[in-house]
Amino acid sequence: MATYTGQYQVKVDNKGRLRLPSDLLKQLEDQNKKFVINKGLEKCLRLYPINQWNAITEEMNKLSYFKTKEREFLRFFYQMATQTETDSNDRILIPKRLMEKTNITNEVVILAFHDVIEIWDSNTYYDTIQEPDDFSDMADEIWSKLKND
C-alpha cells in the first residue's frame, strides 16, 4: 500500500488545471501518471492513482446491484468519478462539475496522508480542518486503541 505525506498550496488555472507538486510526484514515482478524480467524503476531491482506483473498483464489484442501499451507494460513488492523467507539465484537469461541487476556484490545498490524496478549496480547507483543542487526548485515545487491537 502506498503512503503519501504532505500538505501543498497549489493554484488552479482558469481552465481547471492544477500542477501536482514535485514532492508529491516523487511519492507517486512507482505509479503511472493516470488517475481518477472523484468527490471525496467531505467537501473535497479525492485523487486516486489508477492502480489504487482499480483495487477499489475490485472491492466495489463485491457489492450487489440487487440490494437497494448498495446500488444507491455505487451510483453515488461513481457518478462524479473522472479519469485524468498528467500532461507534459505535470498538470491534471479538474472537471468543472467537480470544481463546482466542492467550491474550488483558484487556490487549493492538497493534503496527502496514508493512502489518501485530497484536494480542497483553500478557504474550505482552512474553515474545516482545524487542530482540535484536545488533540493530545485524541492521540492518546486512538493510539491506545491501536495498541490494543
Side-chain angles (χ1 to χ4, degrees):
M1 170 177 31
T3 302
Y4 310 118
T5 303
Q7 179 179 315
Y8 313 93
Q9 291 279 146
V10 182
K11 298 275 186 196
V12 177
D13 70 16
N14 59 358
K15 295 181 180 177
R17 296 175 299 193
L18 110 90
R19 186 178 185 289
L20 295 176
S22 57
D23 183 54
L24 182 59
L25 285 169
K26 288 177 191 170
Q27 296 176 57
L28 292 164
E29 249 177 37
D30 60 333
Q31 308 284 325
N32 59 33
K33 302 302 183 197
K34 293 183 180 183
F35 301 91
V36 171
I37 190 167
N38 199 4
K39 173 79 175 67
L41 296 176
E42 290 146 325
K43 201 162 185 82
C44 66
L45 299 176
R46 177 103 185 249
L47 186 66
Y48 299 88
I50 197 68
N51 297 340
Q52 184 183 23
W53 179 258
N54 291 339
I56 288 169
T57 296
E58 279 186 42
E59 290 298 310
M60 294 292 191
N61 286 339
K62 295 175 184 175
L63 298 177
S64 173
Y65 181 80
F66 296 101
K67 294 180 180 175
T68 303
K69 192 168 260 185
E70 292 180 17
R71 180 176 61 249
E72 289 173 353
F73 172 79
L74 287 167
R75 283 182 184 143
F76 187 76
F77 182 76
Y78 283 107
Q79 74 179 348
M80 295 271 186
T82 306
Q83 291 189 22
T84 189
E85 60 185 284
T86 55
D87 64 14
S88 59
N89 292 318
D90 295 325
R91 297 175 301 192
I92 59 167
L93 179 65
I94 303 174
K96 186 176 181 176
R97 63 194 168 105
L98 285 173
M99 289 180 69
E100 290 170 352
K101 191 81 171 165
T102 54
N103 296 329
I104 289 176
T105 53
N106 63 347
E107 192 168 311
V108 298
V109 173
I110 298 174
L111 181 61
F113 63 96
H114 188 51
D115 66 344
V116 175
I117 302 170
E118 293 179 336
I119 303 170
W120 292 79
D121 169 73
S122 188
N123 291 327
T124 303
Y125 177 81
Y126 290 111
D127 288 344
T128 305
I129 309 297
Q130 298 175 6
E131 184 174 327
D133 294 333
D134 62 343
F135 183 67
S136 179
D137 294 337
M138 183 188 298
D140 287 342
E141 178 184 337
I142 291 171
W143 276 107
S144 66
K145 283 182 185 177
L146 285 173
K147 290 184 178 198
N148 291 329
D149 284 345

